[in-house]
Amino acid sequence: MILVKYEKTEGSGDEIWNDMGEGRICFSREAKLEFLKHKRLQRIKAGTLNDSAPVMNITTRSSGDSLRGSAPCGVRSFRNPDISTRSGCVINGRDTMSKPKVEKFDTTDLDWTDKMPECPVYYPSKEEFDDPLAYLQKIAPEASQYGICKIVSPLNASVPAGMVLMKEKPSFRFTTRVQPLRLAEWNSDDKVTFFLSGRNYTFREYEKMANKVFARRYYSSGSLPATYMEKEFWNEIASGNTESVEYACDVDGSAFSSSPIDELGNSKWNLKKVARLSRSILRLLETTIPGVTEPMLYIGMLFSMFAWHVEDHYLYSINYHHCGAEKTWYGVPGHAALDFEKVVREKVYNHDILSTEGEDGAFDVLLGKTTIFPPNILSQHGVPVYKAVQKPGEYVVTFPRAYHAGFSHGFNCGEAVNFAIGDWFPLGSIATRRYALLNRTPLIPHEELLCKEAMLISSVGDYEDLECRSVDNASRLTIKASFVNLIRFQHRARWCLMRSRECVGVSEHSHATILCSVCKRDCYVAYINCNCYLHPVCLRHEFKSLNLPCGTNFTLSVRDELFDMETVSKTFEEDKDVIDEVKHQSRNGDDSILLSKLYPLAEYDEYNLYCKIELHQDRNSKQSVSGIMDVDDTCSVHNHIHGDNSSSEDITTETHKASPIDVKSTCHYSDDSDSEIFRVKRRSSLKPQLRKPTSSVPSKFERQGLKRLKKVQTERSGHSSAPEWLINDKNYVSKDGFGEDGIKKGTALERNPKRLKVKGNLINGSFECKQIS
């Protein structure tokens, strides 16, 4: 090997050598940094002198690959005109890869990167590390104030992720997404969208490609300081030469080893086990949801990024860094989520792309998970932002309703999954309401999980030492209060319905959660049914305005164990701490305001909590279940908790009174999106009034609920009036729970007709649970 002196860095005393045998430049660490800083300053100056858009390599291949030839720094660019037009790369004549200067984002001064505070870092002992959710509950009061935190694992993975993905899973391959490295104006003419690349890799092939890109840019195979890479990323996003990068996100699978000698893989911190831990709320789901209950892999390269987003249903998330270069994370605490959305709505997005007015407008667009902007904008407007630099062997946890974003410093492999513990329920309720306002299909049945968890707690009683207990006392308090608020709302809503005589009968059901045909809210406790049993409606709508094709004779359908649930709710209320928590949660809710708007006359009537509800029948009445509504003739009289009628700053009242609702149109939902466009777990962010159904047949998710109702009707009447497509269609859900476009849907909720029905029988220290169809 021949080494020739290449340059001497002035003032540093460090020499840089050129390896003639290998064609590489060998830097000492200090000289390397000086050289790279000099190059970055040169690029910035060149960008200010020449305002013309960077010229990109345009190479046409007959194979039709989505990714084209190399960009100047070695990163492939996305330039096939046919593919670009079809996938949305050119929007309204504008190339999504171009880098026009965006005035609203000032990236000339990047000193803020050195001033941003860091999130807390925890170093648990092996004993503390034994139970992940118990440890997270312990640190949550402090760590949640930052939105994100970092946990350094005391255990090591003895089998590297690369070995797992190449040896234990030899057939493992994945397709990448193309991410344009640029800022956008975020108006109707200029947005950023991530595209499917069409390129399929093995783990080793992607690693070689990513490392080659890094080496071409920085003449090194080693890591560089995180502070330097952070400035490099934002400079590249604003005005650099790199057109795009490839990112393998939301890849099914796990890189935790199944080998018995792998210490970390055998621990409960193996992300494949988190959703089913005894303290996990998501253990009650009987079907798996990729990315939520099952982990997904995230394999990145230099400057691949995850845009600003909040987890589905405001769930917790936990991300483990298996190997490779570091990641920089930015996190906003959950208590500042509304302030975050306000800044994005006013300083990032133009009004013409918002699908709705108010705070939910920005929330809807952010669900697309393609919004990237410098976090210093948030700091300038009083929104707290914290930073974390994640290294291999470290976990990053995001707390409920915490917005976060970040990027990779080079090739790496991470893994993430969602989870929930008891303190999540109040925030999960807020997320459910916001989804309903935006008519978005939920991924998990919040109401069902709450009822099941509360009934389990009631069955456990005071057996604190039982291994099967689900959560600790603090989480139990939150669950009990959330359950009491739900049952109180359901009772008063039914009382108002009967007093208004809008229902002609009451029936019971034992089937699983179905979705409201108007707002897609999950209905577990009760719902209103129509004559044909095909238009279930939750108790949060004005039924007189519903334009049902089968008439206006509504039947109230309630769960067959409603009597037991109301008895449990009354038992919970005997605890003063529960009542205090109920009042606290009620101040952040708007159920009483919703009821007063739906039934204004009922406010002047005397209402007693848990009182007997009389059923007013007429000659058109169908079926009535005696005793279902008669909870307790001698129930105690309480003033309704929601007496303050204060509106929450978090929630917009969900009432539909402005105009009649055409259920025939609202119950048919169309994604209306290109299958090649990368949309994570969410539907199109188009304005609701612009969504047009592509077929008169309801979506696969809705067919589950309709089929259940058809079954109920058949059992009662001995025949079926359901449409022929519903009777004959047996393939309404794919085996893996994905839609035709390959993106995760909410269908996993309703694939299995069986549900866990808790009877609470304690036998030999464990529960006897009965499965019903």
Side-chain angles (χ1 to χ4, degrees):
M1 179 183 296
I2 303 173
L3 291 178
V4 180
K5 185 184 292 186
Y6 177 72
E7 177 184 346
K8 187 170 183 178
T9 307
E10 184 176 353
S12 68
D14 293 309
E15 296 180 341
I16 304 174
W17 299 89
N18 186 21
D19 181 351
M20 299 298 292
E22 298 292 335
R24 295 176 301 187
I25 298 176
C26 302
F27 293 87
S28 69
R29 182 176 178 83
E30 292 79 7
K32 183 191 301 181
L33 286 178
E34 290 297 325
F35 178 75
L36 292 174
K37 288 178 182 178
H38 179 68
K39 283 190 64 179
R40 180 165 61 83
L41 290 175
Q42 285 183 327
R43 288 199 300 270
I44 294 174
K45 290 179 181 179
T48 58
L49 294 176
N50 184 7
D51 256 351
S52 60
V55 179
M56 295 188 292
N57 292 341
I58 302 178
T59 308
T60 304
R61 296 180 184 176
S62 59
S63 63
D65 288 345
S66 296
L67 295 178
R68 291 301 152 218
S70 300
C73 67
V75 181
R76 295 180 175 88
S77 60
F78 186 72
R79 292 298 297 170
N80 185 311
D82 297 331
I83 298 294
S84 301
T85 304
R86 176 167 56 86
S87 300
C89 186
V90 178
I91 300 177
N92 295 333
R94 189 186 189 97
D95 191 338
T96 62
M97 297 297 174
S98 63
K99 286 190 181 179
K101 186 175 182 180
V102 181
E103 298 293 340
K104 66 178 71 175
F105 305 124
D106 181 13
T107 55
T108 57
D109 182 9
L110 296 176
D111 289 342
W112 58 266
T113 58
D114 300 320
K115 301 173 184 177
M116 182 166 292
E118 295 189 358
C119 73
V121 182
Y122 297 93
Y123 299 85
S125 63
K126 288 188 177 181
E127 291 74 18
E128 293 176 311
F129 203 69
D130 182 63
D131 189 335
L133 301 189
Y135 182 74
L136 290 172
Q137 281 182 301
K138 176 182 176 181
I139 67 174
E142 176 190 44
S144 63
Q145 300 304 308
Y146 298 84
I148 62 174
C149 74
K150 194 166 67 170
I151 299 174
V152 180
S153 172
L155 304 179
N156 295 319
S158 56
V159 181
M163 293 294 293
V164 173
L165 297 178
M166 290 187 293
K167 301 296 183 182
E168 293 186 17
K169 302 177 181 179
S171 61
F172 177 74
R173 300 185 69 88
F174 53 87
T175 301
T176 57
R177 271 84 178 186
V178 175
Q179 297 180 324
L181 281 184
R182 70 178 188 88
L183 297 172
E185 292 287 353
W186 285 105
N187 54 32
S188 58
D189 294 327
D190 185 25
K191 305 174 189 176
V192 171
T193 307
F194 300 157
F195 301 88
L196 290 174
S197 70
R199 288 184 174 271
N200 195 258
Y201 292 91
T202 65
F203 184 78
R204 182 58 179 157
E205 289 168 350
Y206 183 88
E207 181 183 15
K208 287 182 177 179
M209 180 275 293
N211 287 337
K212 185 177 181 181
V213 168
F214 187 91
R216 283 181 177 178
R217 182 182 179 101
Y218 293 114
Y219 308 100
S220 170
S221 59
S223 61
L224 298 175
T227 53
Y228 175 81
M229 295 303 296
E230 187 177 15
K231 291 182 174 65
E232 282 281 279
F233 173 76
W234 291 112
N235 179 67
E236 195 65 52
I237 283 285
S239 57
N241 293 323
T242 306
E243 302 157 5
S244 63
V245 295
E246 294 181 65
Y247 185 32
C249 51
D250 288 341
V251 176
D252 286 327
S254 172
F256 283 96
S257 176
S258 57
S259 170
I261 65 171
D262 192 289
E263 194 175 17
L264 186 61
N266 288 313
S267 75
K268 294 179 181 179
W269 288 79
N270 180 334
L271 298 191
K272 292 184 289 186
K273 304 177 182 180
V274 169
R276 301 302 173 185
L277 295 177
S278 61
R279 295 172 183 262
S280 170
I281 302 299
L282 300 183
R283 78 193 187 285
L284 298 175
L285 292 173
E286 295 188 10
T287 53
T288 61
I289 305 174
V292 177
T293 61
E294 297 291 323
M296 282 184 163
L297 291 168
Y298 298 83
I299 307 172
M301 61 180 292
L302 178 65
F303 298 153
S304 61
M305 58 189 168
F306 47 102
W308 287 105
H309 69 284
V310 68
E311 295 300 312
D312 295 295
H313 289 270
Y314 295 162
L315 291 165
Y316 286 83
S317 77
I318 181 168
N319 184 295
Y320 180 70
H321 195 322
H322 282 286
C323 62
E326 300 167 344
K327 285 184 183 178
T328 291
W329 291 68
Y330 304 106
V332 175
H335 64 78
L338 286 180
D339 295 329
F340 172 91
E341 291 169 9
K342 180 180 179 181
V343 171
V344 174
R345 184 174 69 249
E346 296 177 353
K347 305 298 179 181
V348 177
Y349 294 151
N350 285 24
H351 183 76
D352 58 357
I353 69 169
L354 301 181
S355 61
T356 185
E357 297 293 333
E359 61 193 31
D360 291 310
F363 174 71
D364 191 30
V365 183
L366 284 163
L367 287 174
K369 299 184 179 181
T370 58
T371 303
I372 192 73
F373 59 85
N376 65 315
I377 295 175
L378 301 170
S379 303
Q380 293 169 1
H381 293 86
V383 178
V385 189
Y386 300 94
K387 179 168 62 177
V389 178
Q390 185 187 22
K391 302 174 183 177
E394 297 177 346
Y395 291 87
V396 166
V397 175
T398 70
F399 291 85
R401 211 179 185 179
Y403 279 93
H404 49 283
F407 64 93
S408 296
H409 299 188
F411 168 77
N412 56 31
C413 176
E415 183 173 336
V417 75
N418 290 121
F419 68 95
I421 50 182
D423 62 4
W424 161 79
F425 278 111
L427 289 172
S429 177
I430 294 174
T432 297
R433 297 181 185 190
R434 300 190 83 178
Y435 287 177
L437 286 168
L438 297 170
N439 203 241
R440 288 182 176 270
T441 302
L443 282 175
I444 57 177
H446 176 272
E447 193 172 295
E448 179 178 345
L449 294 178
L450 176 58
C451 291
K452 287 183 176 179
E453 189 69 33
M455 297 301 284
L456 274 173
I457 290 175
S458 173
S459 301
V460 170
D462 295 327
Y463 295 91
E464 292 296 335
D465 58 338
L466 288 180
E467 184 180 353
C468 60
R469 79 177 191 270
S470 56
V471 287
D472 63 9
N473 291 333
S475 289
R476 287 189 180 192
L477 181 64
T478 304
I479 294 169
K480 289 178 179 179
S482 299
F483 180 70
V484 168
N485 272 326
L486 172 64
I487 297 302
R488 284 185 170 192
F489 170 80
Q490 291 284 342
H491 184 272
R492 188 168 189 182
R494 295 195 309 275
W495 182 85
C496 292
L497 278 172
M498 294 309 167
R499 291 298 295 264
S500 65
R501 302 196 178 191
E502 293 185 5
C503 286
V504 298
V506 180
S507 61
E508 65 175 357
H509 69 264
S510 60
H511 56 71
T513 294
I514 64 169
L515 298 185
C516 172
S517 60
V518 175
C519 65
K520 291 184 170 60
R521 177 186 284 271
D522 56 299
C523 305
Y524 182 74
V525 177
Y527 59 89
I528 294 293
N529 225 333
C530 64
N531 284 349
C532 66
Y533 294 91
L534 293 180
H535 306 107
V537 180
C538 68
L539 305 188
R540 298 174 181 269
H541 301 283
E542 186 177 19
F543 303 106
K544 292 180 180 179
S545 64
L546 296 179
N547 182 20
L548 296 178
C550 58
T552 58
N553 289 335
F554 303 123
T555 302
L556 176 64
S557 180
V558 299
R559 181 152 293 277
D560 57 357
E561 57 182 336
L562 180 59
F563 178 87
D564 296 334
M565 289 194 289
E566 291 187 341
T567 301
V568 167
S569 180
K570 287 193 295 180
T571 303
F572 287 166
E573 291 190 42
E574 295 174 0
D575 187 341
K576 182 181 181 300
D577 291 337
V578 171
I579 291 297
D580 292 340
E581 179 65 20
V582 166
K583 293 178 180 178
H584 173 72
Q585 291 186 16
S586 299
R587 286 193 291 268
N588 295 324
D590 67 344
D591 285 340
S592 62
I593 300 175
L594 174 62
L595 285 174
S596 65
K597 289 187 176 182
L598 292 177
Y599 308 101
L601 295 179
E603 289 297 303
Y604 301 99
D605 296 326
E606 183 179 357
Y607 169 75
N608 296 331
L609 186 59
Y610 299 125
C611 64
K612 178 179 178 180
I613 300 178
E614 296 290 346
L615 174 62
H616 299 279
Q617 289 185 312
D618 59 23
R619 62 183 179 181
N620 294 323
S621 176
K622 294 215 168 187
Q623 293 143 334
S624 172
V625 181
S626 60
I628 284 292
M629 310 304 290
D630 304 340
V631 179
D632 192 347
D633 290 338
T634 60
C635 64
S636 57
V637 178
H638 298 276
N639 291 326
H640 194 51
I641 280 297
H642 310 305
D644 57 357
N645 288 344
S646 60
S647 177
S648 166
E649 66 174 355
D650 289 350
I651 309 166
T652 304
T653 302
E654 299 171 54
T655 178
H656 300 258
K657 301 181 67 174
S659 60
I661 299 173
D662 186 359
V663 180
K664 292 181 66 176
S665 63
T666 57
C667 69
H668 304 326
Y669 187 87
S670 171
D671 197 339
D672 201 23
S673 62
D674 191 326
S675 62
E676 288 194 30
I677 295 181
F678 174 46
R679 303 191 184 280
V680 184
K681 310 179 192 173
R682 286 280 151 242
R683 296 186 181 276
S684 170
S685 60
L686 294 176
K687 297 182 179 181
Q689 61 268 28
L690 297 181
R691 292 176 178 147
K692 297 180 179 180
T694 57
S695 171
S696 60
V697 179
S699 66
K700 295 177 180 179
F701 189 87
E702 291 162 334
R703 296 181 195 177
Q704 290 286 344
L706 300 182
K707 193 162 186 176
R708 295 184 194 282
L709 293 177
K710 187 264 296 184
K711 179 181 178 182
V712 172
Q713 183 191 14
T714 304
E715 292 172 352
R716 291 173 180 165
S717 62
H719 65 279
S720 172
S721 61
E724 185 177 355
W725 62 262
L726 181 59
I727 299 173
N728 297 331
D729 185 5
K730 298 181 180 179
N731 299 317
Y732 44 83
V733 178
S734 62
K735 292 182 179 179
D736 58 2
F738 282 68
E740 293 178 357
D741 56 0
I743 304 301
K744 184 166 37 177
K745 306 292 184 185
T747 51
L749 295 182
E750 292 297 326
R751 291 199 343 242
N752 193 332
K754 296 183 179 180
R755 281 299 185 271
L756 180 67
K757 186 173 180 181
V758 178
K759 292 301 184 183
N761 297 327
L762 199 59
I763 300 177
N764 297 327
S766 62
F767 290 111
E768 179 185 34
C769 299
K770 180 182 179 183
Q771 295 281 3
I772 64 171
S773 296

